[in-house]
Amino acid sequence: LSTDKLEIITPADPAQRGCQLSVLVHERGRELFDFLAAQGIIADWREPNVIRLAPVPLYNSFEDVERVGEALTQWVNERMGE
């Protein structure tokens, strides 16, 4: 995922990353973080504009990951399409 709105900044090489996924939010990052929290999605906020997600296979289902993707898509379409 890399758009003018969101960009995954976690290294693509599995040897250089853990299980977390860092998303650089180019605009209104804290608003997106708060939106995800309101949806029941637990993430970590890093100043100035990074949201970290941890899709850990032992704790998260495929449906959990899909729900995050849908929430991100909804937020970008509704809030960033202005």
Side-chain angles (χ1 to χ4, degrees):
L1 170 70
S2 181
T3 70
D4 60 335
K5 313 290 185 211
L6 306 173
E7 179 181 353
I8 294 176
I9 59 173
T10 304
D13 180 4
Q16 294 181 335
R17 68 170 191 266
C19 192
Q20 63 90 23
L21 181 68
S22 294
V23 180
L24 175 66
V25 186
H26 293 288
E27 297 175 31
R28 301 162 69 180
R30 187 61 194 216
E31 183 182 327
L32 172 56
F33 176 78
D34 292 340
F35 173 80
L36 293 174
Q39 303 293 317
I41 297 167
I42 299 170
D44 182 40
W45 175 252
R46 297 292 173 163
E47 293 289 347
N49 55 354
V50 174
I51 296 173
R52 293 192 317 173
L53 301 161
V56 181
L58 292 175
Y59 302 103
N60 301 108
S61 67
F62 175 79
E63 289 80 16
D64 292 332
V65 174
E66 183 176 39
R67 192 164 61 94
V68 171
E70 289 171 354
L72 290 170
T73 300
Q74 177 185 351
W75 188 83
V76 167
N77 288 342
E78 291 178 2
R79 312 279 169 93
M80 301 301 283
E82 300 172 356

